[in-house]
Amino acid sequence: MAFPRNQWYVAAYGSEVGDGLLARTICGEPIVFYRTRDGRPVGLADRCVHRRYPLSASHRDGDRIVCGYHGFTYDPDGVCVAVPGQRRVPRTARVPRYHVVEQDSLIWVWIGDDDKADPAAIPRAPWLDSPDYVTVRGMEPLAARYELLVDNLMDLSHETYLHAGYIGTPEVAATPITTEVDEEAGVIYVSRRMKDAECPPFYAKSTGIEGRIDRWQDIEYHPPCLYLLHSRIAPTGVEPGPDGDDSRACHAEIVYAITPETETTTHDFWMVARDFALDDEEVSAFLAESNRTVVLQDVEALNLLEKVIAAEPEGYQELSINIDTGGLAARRMLQRMTAR
Amino acid sequence: MSASGRRLRVEWTPGTDLLTGICFCGAQRRSDDPVELWRWLLAHPDHDLPS
Ligand code: FES
Ligand SMILES: [Fe+2]
């Protein structure tokens, strides 16, 4: 399948992985996730070596999984330690074990060659479990290829049209962007700085800022999986101080994890971490509800696009304009990652 | 955005439709087509070759 291999992907939120057996397909690979009694997250291939029964449909015996079909019993490292009716366990009886790392409240899984996994290469999103931020989050299944979600998030001018009344205002589509590509680090930056702009309801209601705003959208995409949108909202004219102090502005760290499930379906993880109204549960509820609505608007549009792509003849030529500068850079980097 | 590392940059001049591609080597080019501009930037160090 055409995914970037030898990459880390977000498989789940830390809170999803616990005593139960969580089934999730990542880049076409079915995996079962659970947490051992000492708190360690584990990922094993979700297919019994005996007759392929999904381990996720089985049950646990302490830190082991006992296959629900005929009882093959697996340790957390994937080695089969018991089979029914006989003492000898075949030497080859083991399921592949995945490298799994829990960081910044996310469960990352390595898709690729076992000996190439380097946890230090996992990009960070420290706001997600910082005491200085409050995060709301969700995950929506997307019936579209992950590349469409990358396109969508790299070009926020669509907010003006697809998300009017939520996060979109006329200024988003009207404001020029600056794009940078760091080839070595594998990061793409897109920055849009709006001055004296209309405040969309999403931020007016949550920050309490009245009147016009300066609004910054600084995208930092770490292909293939992690997308960060550093969003700054301030009363217009309020700049960060010379010492970097920016406490008069509100900051929202919008995080997406874009994880391919299959070639044409995607796990769309979304998070909104904020440094304002920390104790206000109404703001949390409002942001969660609003952002979910926005994500579902994208999901509906991208599901439609996937159908269009599936039905079209080969060789259809798109047309790109200035707003696509960041999306084009992302596509190219993903193509390069997929090819190697 | 800091200037660290070997970054390729595309600026969109406000009030115009014009893009400026800036390579980390200092080479610059103006264009109104982002596809053409990335091709030119990524050709580094062969910016002058016809694409
Ligand atoms: S399929 Fe798992 S024990 Fe038979
Ligand atoms: Fe959107």
Side-chain angles (χ1 to χ4, degrees), chain A residues 222-240:
Chain A
H222 298 252
C225 191
L226 190 70
Y227 170 96
L228 311 173
L229 169 60
H230 311 290
S231 175
R232 176 186 185 273
I233 305 97
T236 191
V238 171
E239 295 282 327

Side-chain angles (χ1 to χ4, degrees), chain A residues 36-37 40 69 78 88 111 114 120 142 161 173 178 183 199 226 238 240 331 339:
Chain A
T36 60
R37 283 167 302 180
R40 205 162 41 90
Y69 198 0
R88 189 185 69 86
I111 300 295
D114 204 46
L142 180 64
Y161 300 93
T178 301
E183 290 278 318
C199 191
L226 190 70
V238 171
R331 282 185 182 183

Side-chain angles (χ1 to χ4, degrees), chain A residues 173 175-184 189-193 218 320-326 328-329 332, chain B residues 1-19 24 31-35 38 42:
Chain A
T175 305
I177 50 169
T178 301
T179 308
E180 281 193 2
V181 173
D182 187 328
E183 290 278 318
E184 261 160 90
Y189 303 86
V190 179
S191 173
R192 177 181 273 114
R193 301 284 175 96
D218 290 344
S320 295
I321 61 169
N322 288 4
I323 55 172
D324 301 307
T325 305
L328 290 168
R332 206 204 106 263
Chain B
M1 288 196 247
S2 79
S4 72
R6 287 154 62 96
R7 291 194 185 184
L8 306 173
R9 184 176 171 92
V10 176
E11 289 175 1
W12 175 353
T13 310
T16 75
D17 292 345
L18 209 62
L19 301 173
F24 52 81
S31 173
D32 59 4
D33 175 5
V35 176
W38 281 125
L42 291 159

Side-chain angles (χ1 to χ4, degrees), chain A residues 152-153 155-156 158-159 162-163 167 256 294-295 297-298:
Chain A
N152 172 273
L153 292 170
D155 170 23
L156 296 180
H158 81 270
E159 290 184 354
L162 195 56
H163 308 306
I167 53 175
Y256 282 81
V294 165
V295 170
Q297 288 169 340
D298 285 326

Side-chain angles (χ1 to χ4, degrees), chain A residues 296-310:
Chain A
L296 289 176
Q297 288 169 340
D298 285 326
V299 165
E300 200 184 323
L302 300 184
N303 288 356
L304 202 55
L305 273 184
E306 181 60 48
K307 288 194 184 137
V308 170
I309 292 173

